[in-house]
Amino acid sequence: MTSADDVPWLDEEERRAWLALTALMVRLEPALDAQLRRDAGLRHFDYAVMAWLSEREGRTMRMSEIAALTEGSLSRTSQVVARLEARGYVVRAADPDDGRSVLATLTEAGYAAVVDAAPGHVREVRRVVLDPLTRAQVRQLAAIGERILTRLDDVR
């Protein structure tokens, strides 16, 4: 075990960056969730699942792939897809190429719902995240996020 003396403590600038990032992580998801619930009757995670499906050929993906892309557990993804299935937005079926896998397919009703929800969601993303930033800051945000994600991928 290391002692407190061995820890490279955060300096004031690093502390400020860390606190801003943690506040952002805590507050952004609920803000996006509130807009989607109010305007489209969807949770942000629901929207993410449907958006990923809408962009795939045949609007179909394996459940495990959806879980990986949305950073959700397979259990959480299954619960969300079951809820979307009950609303007629998604159907599930066994993968004919791999009997151990389940495919989720976005229905026409689901596609219509995600298309209807997209403009409000994009407006909110712009309002909350992008509009306060300069174009250079948007590029920096992308680079910073990608770099941190790469490190997180390395830690897995």
Side-chain angles (χ1 to χ4, degrees):
M1 182 170 287
T2 62
S3 73
D5 294 334
D6 297 334
V7 175
W9 297 106
L10 305 180
D11 65 30
E12 190 53 38
E13 186 175 40
E14 291 168 330
R15 183 178 177 280
R16 186 172 155 237
W18 172 244
L19 292 176
L21 178 60
T22 58
L24 176 64
M25 291 186 308
V26 168
R27 295 176 60 191
L28 183 58
E29 179 80 14
L32 297 176
D33 201 54
Q35 177 275 318
L36 281 164
R37 282 176 184 252
R38 181 185 67 241
D39 297 346
L42 295 169
R43 295 178 171 117
H44 187 246
F45 196 86
D46 301 347
Y47 178 85
V49 168
M50 294 168 66
W52 278 112
L53 285 168
S54 75
E55 295 176 358
R56 294 301 166 125
E57 186 172 329
R59 300 182 191 144
T60 299
M61 291 170 55
R62 285 185 175 159
M63 293 288 291
S64 57
E65 187 179 7
I66 296 169
L69 289 169
T70 58
E71 298 290 337
S73 67
L74 195 50
S75 173
R76 179 181 184 197
T77 303
S78 292
Q79 291 172 356
V80 167
V81 170
R83 190 170 55 244
L84 294 172
E85 193 172 30
R87 293 179 70 175
Y89 292 164
V90 174
V91 292
R92 287 184 283 184
D95 184 341
D97 298 328
D98 179 358
R100 298 170 297 162
S101 297
V102 175
L103 298 175
T105 301
L106 191 64
T107 65
E108 287 300 320
Y111 184 73
V114 78
V115 167
D116 286 347
H121 176 63
V122 170
R123 275 194 294 277
E124 189 69 355
V125 167
R126 283 196 169 284
R127 185 183 77 78
V128 173
V129 178
L130 301 172
D131 288 349
L133 304 177
T134 65
R135 183 52 77 179
Q137 289 171 325
V138 170
R139 285 190 298 273
Q140 289 171 334
L141 178 61
I144 291 165
E146 290 163 358
R147 191 162 189 158
I148 293 170
L149 287 169
T150 297
R151 176 58 59 97
L152 290 172
D153 289 342
D154 293 344
V155 182
R156 281 188 183 183

